[in-house]
Amino acid sequence: MSGMASDHNNSSREGYIPHYLQREDPFASKLSREADIIAGFYLTIIGILSTLGNGYVIFMSSKRKKKLRPAEIMTVNLAVCDLGISVVGKPFSIISFFSHRWMFGWIGCRWYGWAGFFFGCGSLITMTAVSLDRYLKICHLSYGTWLKRHHAFICLAIIWAYAMFWATVPFAGVGSYAPEPFGTSCTLDWWLAQASVAGQVFVLSILFFCLLLPTAVIVFSYVKIILKVKSSTKEVAHYDTRIQNSHILEMKLTKVAMLICAGFLIAWIPYAVVSVWSAFGRPDSVPIPFSVVPTLLAKSAAMYNPIIYQVIDCKFACCRSGGLKAKSSSKKSRTYTISAHRDSTAMDETQLE
C-alpha cells in the first residue's frame, strides 16, 4: 500500500486522492456478494465460449496456414488477441468475483491490467489494419493487388510492437494500472488525470493513439467503401471474370470485417465513455454499480467474432447452395478467416447491402 502511495505522490500534492488510496483495502469488493457471483458466472460463460470459438478458428486456420490470404492472416491475429484476453485475463477476474475481492495483490493487478490493455489494443489495431486492407482492395483495385502475404506479416510485427509499447508505457513511470472502483478487476489508472497535468497528458495520449485514431481510420475506411460500392458494379464489369469473382470475395471479407469492428466498438465504447468521465469529470461521480456494466460488456467483445463469421459464412453458403454442389464439411472447414473458394461457377452473392 505504501508503495502505491509513493507511486502516486502527485495525487497527494494536488489534494486529490483516488479511490484505491481512500480505503485501507482497495481490493475489497464494493458490490454485494450476489452481484459478484452473477458477474462471475457471466464471465465464466463468456470465457468458455470465447476460448472455444477463437481456439477453433486458430486450429482450423493452422491446417491451411500456407494458403491463407493477407486479410485472413490479419483476422487470425485478431483471434489470437481474443484468445489471449480469454486465457490470460478472464481467470483472474472470475476467481476474484467468486471470492468477493481481488485475490492477486498489486503485482497481479498490474499484470492483469497490462494483459487486458495489450491484447485489447492489439485487437483494435489489427481491425484498423484490416479496414485499411479492405479500403485498398475495394476502393483501389489496381493498387490493392500488390498486397501479399509478407506484407501481412510485416504488418503483424508492427501491430504487436505498437500494442507492446503502449501497454508497457505505464511501467515507465508516466502512468500506472490500478483497481477498478468496484475492487475485483484492474485497468489503466484513468484517475491520474485528476491528479496532475502529467496524468492528463498520459490519459489523453492513450485515448488518442489507442482509441480515437484507430477508430477514425476504421470509420474513414468503411465510409469510403460504402460510397465506392455504389459505382463498383460498373467499374468491375470492365475486368475479366476472375477479377470480378475476386472482387465479390473481397466484398464478403469486407462485410465480416465491418461487423467485427462494429461489435468491438459497441462493446468497448461504453467502457471508454465511463473511463473518460472518470478521468476528466467530477471525481468519483460515476456510481460504482454503474461502472461494472460497461466493464462486463467490454469483456464480452472477444466472444463475438467467431459468431459473426459463422452467421455471415452460413448465409453466404446458403446463397450459393442452389447452383453449387455440396462440399464435404471435413474438407471445407469454415473459419471466420474465410476460405477463398476457387470454383469456376460464378458467385451470385449481392454486394454490400
Side-chain angles (χ1 to χ4, degrees):
M1 186 70 178
S2 60
M4 282 305 298
S6 61
D7 290 342
H8 298 278
N9 52 10
N10 285 338
S11 299
S12 299
R13 287 198 299 267
E14 296 295 331
Y16 170 70
I17 301 177
H19 64 86
Y20 50 85
L21 296 180
Q22 293 176 3
R23 302 175 181 87
E24 186 174 340
D25 185 0
F27 298 126
S29 176
K30 313 308 184 296
L31 304 174
S32 66
R33 186 172 292 277
E34 292 76 13
D36 276 336
I37 291 175
I38 292 173
F41 276 115
Y42 168 81
L43 289 180
T44 300
I45 294 172
I46 293 296
I48 292 173
L49 293 177
S50 176
T51 301
L52 292 177
N54 290 292
Y56 174 77
V57 166
I58 295 171
F59 172 73
M60 297 308 300
S61 298
S62 67
K63 298 175 68 173
R64 52 181 298 272
K65 56 186 177 181
K66 293 183 178 180
K67 298 180 180 179
L68 294 177
R69 298 155 61 92
E72 296 176 311
I73 293 172
M74 301 304 296
T75 49
V76 169
N77 188 65
L78 184 59
V80 172
C81 292
D82 291 341
L83 184 64
I85 292 174
S86 301
V87 173
V88 176
K90 282 187 174 62
F92 285 81
S93 55
I94 290 171
I95 292 171
S96 296
F97 274 115
F98 281 127
S99 301
H100 198 48
R101 63 172 288 109
W102 178 258
M103 298 295 294
F104 305 99
W106 281 108
I107 294 178
C109 182
R110 292 188 180 102
W111 160 252
Y112 177 86
W114 178 90
F117 185 45
F118 173 69
F119 288 115
C121 182
S123 293
L124 183 56
I125 303 305
T126 299
M127 285 185 286
T128 305
V130 170
S131 70
L132 286 174
D133 174 76
R134 300 295 87 216
Y135 169 72
L136 288 174
K137 290 290 179 68
I138 302 301
C139 298
H140 300 280
L141 294 177
S142 59
Y143 297 98
T145 54
W146 68 269
L147 293 172
K148 305 300 181 183
R149 282 170 57 92
H150 67 276
H151 294 116
F153 289 115
I154 293 173
C155 190
L156 290 185
I158 295 173
I159 290 170
W160 287 108
Y162 191 92
M164 177 66 72
F165 173 79
W166 286 108
T168 309
V169 160
F171 293 128
V174 297
S176 184
Y177 295 99
E180 299 269 16
F182 51 87
T184 47
S185 182
C186 294
T187 184
L188 277 169
D189 192 347
W190 302 103
W191 301 272
L192 284 176
Q194 300 280 357
S196 64
V197 174
Q200 293 176 0
V201 172
F202 164 72
V203 171
L204 288 173
S205 298
I206 292 293
L207 286 173
F208 179 77
F209 289 104
C210 300
L211 179 62
L212 297 179
L213 181 60
T215 301
V217 173
I218 290 172
V219 171
F220 167 82
S221 298
Y222 290 125
V223 167
K224 296 291 288 185
I225 288 171
I226 291 171
L227 295 175
K228 183 69 173 180
V229 163
K230 294 180 179 180
S231 60
S232 63
T233 303
K234 294 181 180 180
E235 183 175 336
V236 175
H238 296 292
Y239 295 90
D240 59 31
T241 302
R242 183 181 61 85
I243 294 180
Q244 291 179 28
N245 290 342
S246 177
H247 184 67
I248 292 174
L249 178 59
E250 298 301 343
M251 289 306 305
K252 182 195 173 188
L253 287 164
T254 302
K255 289 182 181 181
V256 175
M258 289 178 69
L259 285 176
I260 287 174
C261 290
F264 184 91
L265 294 176
I266 290 171
W268 278 97
I269 283 177
Y271 179 79
V273 170
V274 171
S275 299
V276 171
W277 184 260
S278 299
F280 298 102
R282 186 166 55 85
D284 305 322
S285 60
V286 179
I288 289 177
F290 179 77
S291 68
V292 179
V293 177
T295 301
L296 295 179
L297 179 62
K299 293 179 186 297
S300 69
M303 179 188 69
Y304 300 153
N305 297 341
I307 297 175
I308 290 172
Y309 171 75
Q310 292 297 334
V311 170
I312 293 294
D313 205 42
C314 288
K315 177 181 176 182
F316 181 73
C318 290
C319 290
R320 300 174 60 244
S321 60
L324 297 178
K325 294 182 179 180
K327 301 291 183 178
S328 173
S329 59
S330 62
K331 293 182 179 181
K332 294 290 184 180
S333 299
R334 297 180 180 275
T335 68
Y336 78 103
T337 51
I338 308 171
S339 300
H341 301 286
R342 305 202 182 276
D343 300 328
S344 59
T345 305
M347 303 179 188
D348 295 326
E349 184 196 31
T350 57
Q351 298 186 355
L352 197 61
E353 297 175 346

